[in-house]
Amino acid sequence: MQRRPGRKRGIWAIVLLVLGGALIAGPIVFVSGRFTVVHQYGDNMAPTLAHGDIVVLRTDTSALRRGDVVIYDPGTWGLKGPFIGRVAALGGEHISYAMGDKALTLDGQPLDEPYLNGLPGDGGVAFDVAVPQGKVFILGDNRGNSADSRFHLDSSGGTLPVSAVTGIEQPQRTLAYVAPGLAVLTGLFLLPVGIGLGIAALVVRRRKPVPAGPVWGAVHVEQP
């Protein structure tokens, strides 16, 4: 049985188109269900985040840790958000600052904050808060320009419920951040290749076969 012209090209075209589409659609579905993208407005997180920066956050907040950069709802403080800040203390921890101290104190020990812009006490607010279980104490990295937990001490010591945290910044060098982008790029490469093979297969199939004619110089020998 004679195979149709361009059959192999057609098969490869279908394979590449399906694979390319899956590599594009799959990561989009994965990312849209597990991550959210926001813009940073203001300078409260400088120098970690500058005004206008794009921040990718994972929506699963079950693994919330002290030091995480988060997006949160400040509705408990009577404000409209969302805001971006850093978790300075978790439930069960004791955080404090006295005017003139060189560092915040967490459970009686100086808190190392290498990400700060300026001094830990910039903003001029002293506080001494035992964070209740299920709550978080949130501060900005730019203490001199951050309306954070320090300025809402009359509302549960400035703490917010963990449920107010709706996203945690996703480190840009992790596999979960890089892999979807690489998959989409691969899919974008495969799609035009598949389209090209499909067009080539159609051209070959529609090409009319050239009828066989006499071969000049050939000798026909009659069988006896």
Side-chain angles (χ1 to χ4, degrees), residues 4-69:
R4 296 174 61 188
R7 183 171 180 270
K8 287 186 177 180
R9 288 191 181 95
I11 292 174
W12 275 109
I14 294 172
V15 170
L16 293 179
L17 287 173
V18 171
L19 182 59
L23 287 173
I24 293 173
I28 291 175
V29 173
F30 174 81
V31 169
S32 63
R34 293 170 175 80
F35 299 91
T36 186
V37 178
V38 299
H39 283 82
Q40 163 68 353
Y41 294 103
D43 298 318
N44 70 302
M45 285 299 293
T48 306
L49 298 173
H51 177 74
D53 278 356
I54 296 175
V55 188
V56 178
L57 306 108
R58 64 180 187 272
T59 54
D60 179 7
T61 60
S62 59
L64 183 65
R65 301 174 301 177
R66 181 177 3 97
D68 282 342
V69 173

Side-chain angles (χ1 to χ4, degrees), residues 32-209:
S32 63
R34 293 170 175 80
F35 299 91
T36 186
V37 178
V38 299
H39 283 82
Q40 163 68 353
Y41 294 103
D43 298 318
N44 70 302
M45 285 299 293
T48 306
L49 298 173
H51 177 74
D53 278 356
I54 296 175
V55 188
V56 178
L57 306 108
R58 64 180 187 272
T59 54
D60 179 7
T61 60
S62 59
L64 183 65
R65 301 174 301 177
R66 181 177 3 97
D68 282 342
V69 173
V70 299
I71 183 172
Y72 64 95
D73 179 6
T76 301
W77 298 337
L79 300 175
K80 185 177 181 180
F83 288 173
I84 296 179
R86 188 183 296 274
V87 176
L90 297 167
E93 295 180 331
H94 183 206
I95 188 168
S96 62
Y97 174 75
M99 299 300 295
D101 285 354
K102 295 182 179 180
L104 305 188
T105 300
L106 182 73
D107 293 337
Q109 299 297 323
L111 180 61
D112 183 27
E113 299 182 282
Y115 41 75
L116 288 183
N117 179 29
L119 299 175
D122 286 352
V125 179
F127 55 88
D128 190 332
V129 178
V131 183
Q133 293 294 340
K135 299 286 187 86
V136 290
F137 193 85
I138 295 178
L139 298 173
D141 289 355
N142 185 8
R143 301 284 157 79
N145 186 23
S146 179
D148 46 41
S149 288
R150 299 170 298 166
F151 296 93
H152 304 282
L153 298 175
D154 56 343
S155 176
S156 300
T159 63
L160 290 171
V162 171
S163 59
V165 176
T166 57
I168 303 173
E169 184 186 24
Q170 177 67 33
Q172 296 185 10
R173 294 183 180 180
T174 61
L175 182 62
Y177 187 94
V178 176
L182 293 176
V184 170
L185 288 176
T186 303
L188 291 173
F189 170 77
L190 293 179
L191 280 181
V193 175
I195 292 172
L197 285 175
I199 293 173
L202 289 175
V203 170
V204 171
R205 288 178 184 178
R206 292 180 179 180
R207 184 180 298 164
K208 293 182 179 180

Side-chain angles (χ1 to χ4, degrees), residues 213-221:
V215 179
W216 297 102
V219 177
H220 179 70
V221 179

